[in-house]
Amino acid sequence: MSVIEQVRAHVKERLQQLDGVVALRQTVEGTAPFLFREGDNLDQLALEPQYPLAPVVSLLHKRDPAVRIGVVARGGDVRALVEMAKREQVDPERLHIIGVACTDDEAQDCRCSDPAPSIDAWPHAVLVGTPAQGAGPNPLVAEYDKMSLEERREFWERQFSKCIKCYGCRNICPVCFCESCALEDPLWVEKGVLGPPFPMFHLIKAMHMAGRCVACRQCELACPAHIPLTVLYDLMRRDVEALLGYVPGEDLGMGPPLSLTLEEAPLRAKVR
Amino acid sequence: MEYQNILTTCIYCGCGCPLYVQILDGEIVGVLPSKEHPISRGQLCIKGWNATAFVYHSDRLKTPLIRRGDSLEEATWAQALGLVAQRLATIRDESGPDSIGFLTSAKCTNEENYLLQKLARAVIKTNNVDHCARL
Ligand code: SF4
Ligand code: SF4
Ligand code: SF4
Ligand code: SF4
């Protein structure tokens, strides 16, 4: 059985006990996240392109405190679910994970070093597919490391000057779930002014990604200005691992090392 | 519980980026870019990300309003358009066709823009036609 057939079979089986399963649905219009329910046409279930599905799980869990759902999740989705569970954005007891291991090609595409969802710590989870090795570190980070301080400043000045302040990098990010965001606080970021304050706008988000960024690359893919945002967050991940021994998304049982109080949303609905 | 994404087009500029509107139990809960579409390729500007922000906004107008003195009164579309047609005719007759200008939009289709200039030239009889990109 192919991977997608196995996924569909798992979803079909779980739908008998759950209220629905979050996955991608492909129709003539295109492919987007969807809550499959019993009786829905599972031939429409697709695995690409990758949308962040953890925020959808969170939305549904917050909307209905009794709802029990599943999710067809890639490595990045599961890592995001791990960080969200630690901050009460999803409820592991009410979540069944159907994990899909990405192929080596897919992992290279996303520059993902950890392409197989680790599902062991989750109360209800299965894994489909054969775990691939994963990609090496971001080559842009190695280039950055060779730059002098002055060159680094110029690099970011050049990159951030392209920013159109669309907030897409925050909106798409699965671990940016704060009810009130510092990037909308006039204290830091003046409304209606382009470009965003240099370098505060991007550094605020980067600081908040310490111990949170799960390297899913969704921000970079959503950036209309093609700013290599993952360089920034990869550097943050590297420091957090070196200094605090913490890899976001890796271990459901390990508490986050920083008690940075962002106005994190309690387990209830957020409308953006 | 029902959750789905409906494909639509951003209403804010001539690029017409396709985007998904996220619907939870019949209520709009957010926007997602369309990753497969060749126009937006999974990216939106701030207007696209907020394309649905007006839908439940308390300031949203739900019917035409006609100003009478200092107050705005609710009206039907027939009343509002009737008043506009009548005032345009009066202004044209009293002050001449070139006292009126027509401003159209990049967000309209070619056909809609054609119709607007037709209305300007053939009905009002003015060449004063311009476009939001030059405002
Ligand atoms: S900052 Fe980017 S890579 Fe990190 S979790 Fe958010 S979207 Fe994913
Ligand atoms: S406050 Fe920071 S972590 Fe929270 S949503 Fe905004 S950028 Fe993301
Ligand atoms: S997605 Fe890119 S352009 Fe938009 S706010 Fe983020 S960095 Fe700026
Ligand atoms: S998302 Fe922005 S660029 Fe795209 S159609 Fe809307 S306003 Fe235009």
Side-chain angles (χ1 to χ4, degrees):
Chain A
M1 242 201 303
S2 68
V3 167
I4 181 96
E5 283 166 353
Q6 290 178 56
V7 170
R8 287 179 182 141
H10 279 295
V11 171
K12 190 166 181 197
E13 193 193 310
R14 307 256 163 165
L15 279 179
Q16 292 168 5
Q17 347 148 11
L18 298 174
D19 298 310
V21 173
V22 175
L24 296 176
R25 181 177 67 153
Q26 184 174 35
T27 67
V28 284
E29 285 190 342
T31 311
F34 184 69
L35 181 71
F36 283 91
R37 293 178 305 170
E38 213 175 358
D40 284 342
N41 179 4
L42 292 180
D43 289 344
Q44 292 182 329
L45 191 149
L47 297 176
E48 284 179 330
Q50 291 175 40
Y51 278 90
L53 295 180
V56 180
V57 171
S58 176
L59 177 75
L60 304 186
H61 269 176
K62 288 176 181 180
R63 175 58 64 100
D64 179 351
V67 79
R68 290 168 65 248
I69 53 178
V71 62
V72 175
R74 304 252 190 185
D77 295 315
V78 174
R79 295 198 299 276
L81 287 167
V82 164
E83 291 308 312
M84 292 176 105
K86 290 176 191 176
R87 295 167 176 87
E88 299 198 343
Q89 302 300 305
V90 299
D91 177 359
E93 290 303 328
R94 295 189 284 133
L95 184 61
H96 288 232
I97 293 179
I98 298 148
V100 183
C102 296
T103 62
D104 202 43
D105 282 352
E106 287 169 330
Q108 300 298 335
D109 246 18
C110 299
R111 287 205 303 268
C112 178
S113 61
D114 184 18
S118 39
I119 54 163
D120 297 345
W122 291 87
H124 321 279
V126 288
L127 180 64
V128 179
T130 319
Q133 171 126 67
N138 187 343
L140 262 177
V141 172
E143 268 180 52
Y144 180 86
D145 279 336
K146 287 193 220 123
M147 294 180 196
S148 67
L149 273 183
E150 196 41 46
E151 286 168 332
R152 291 179 185 185
R153 191 184 157 86
E154 274 166 25
F155 173 79
W156 290 124
E157 240 171 345
R158 200 168 58 244
Q159 292 297 344
F160 294 162
S161 70
K162 300 188 290 184
C163 175
I164 62 165
K165 207 180 167 194
C166 68
Y167 287 86
C169 48
R170 182 211 56 186
N171 292 350
I172 202 102
C173 175
V175 292
C176 269
F177 41 68
C178 308
E179 284 211 326
S180 77
C181 172
L183 299 179
E184 290 180 39
D185 184 339
L187 185 66
W188 300 107
V189 181
E190 203 181 337
K191 238 188 193 176
V193 178
L194 270 180
F198 174 83
M200 284 315 288
F201 186 84
H202 295 90
L203 288 193
I204 289 170
K205 161 101 163 118
M207 289 308 290
H208 294 181
M209 291 302 102
R212 280 162 89 112
C213 170
V214 294
C216 65
R217 208 171 169 233
Q218 290 289 340
C219 49
E220 198 168 276
L221 296 173
C223 177
H226 306 294
I227 298 171
L229 291 165
T230 47
V231 171
L232 195 57
Y233 308 138
D234 281 352
L235 291 166
M236 189 54 88
R237 281 170 60 85
R238 190 171 72 181
D239 281 356
V240 168
E241 186 175 4
L243 297 171
L244 304 167
Y246 187 76
V247 181
E250 200 180 55
D251 182 355
L252 186 60
M254 191 170 174
L258 299 168
S259 54
L260 195 64
T261 314
L262 305 168
E263 307 231 345
E264 285 166 353
L267 207 49
R268 62 183 163 84
K270 162 165 187 184
V271 176
R272 177 132 68 206
Chain B
M1 184 178 268
E2 257 181 58
Y3 169 85
Q4 59 178 319
N5 278 275
I6 307 279
L7 188 70
T8 184
T9 311
C10 175
I11 50 171
Y12 283 124
C13 93
C15 292
C17 294
L19 51 82
Y20 286 106
V21 175
Q22 302 188 63
I23 315 273
L24 175 56
D25 290 334
E27 180 196 344
I28 295 175
V29 289
V31 163
L32 278 177
S34 164
K35 295 207 177 210
E36 294 164 308
H37 201 282
I39 293 179
S40 56
R41 287 176 295 174
Q43 298 156 1
L44 296 169
C45 82
I46 193 165
K47 294 195 275 183
W49 275 107
N50 292 286
T52 59
F54 69 88
V55 175
Y56 304 121
H57 200 284
S58 55
D59 289 351
R60 184 180 177 184
L61 298 183
K62 300 196 178 83
T63 105
L65 299 176
I66 293 177
R67 184 180 299 281
R68 293 191 206 283
D70 282 342
S71 66
L72 289 163
E73 290 171 17
E74 290 191 359
T76 64
W77 279 106
Q79 286 167 334
L81 291 172
L83 180 66
V84 170
Q86 187 204 328
R87 290 286 298 141
L88 280 176
T90 310
I91 293 167
R92 178 196 57 194
D93 295 346
E94 286 174 359
S95 312
D98 284 340
S99 63
I100 298 172
F102 286 77
L103 300 173
T104 175
S105 164
K107 191 54 216 146
C108 299
T109 61
N110 281 341
E111 290 76 8
E112 286 162 338
N113 280 320
Y114 176 83
L115 287 173
L116 193 94
Q117 67 80 35
K118 194 77 176 170
L119 175 70
R121 294 196 166 100
V123 179
I124 303 291
K125 302 208 184 312
T126 176
N127 289 323
N128 294 339
V129 182
D130 216 328
H131 176 270
C132 70
R134 298 214 311 164
L135 291 183

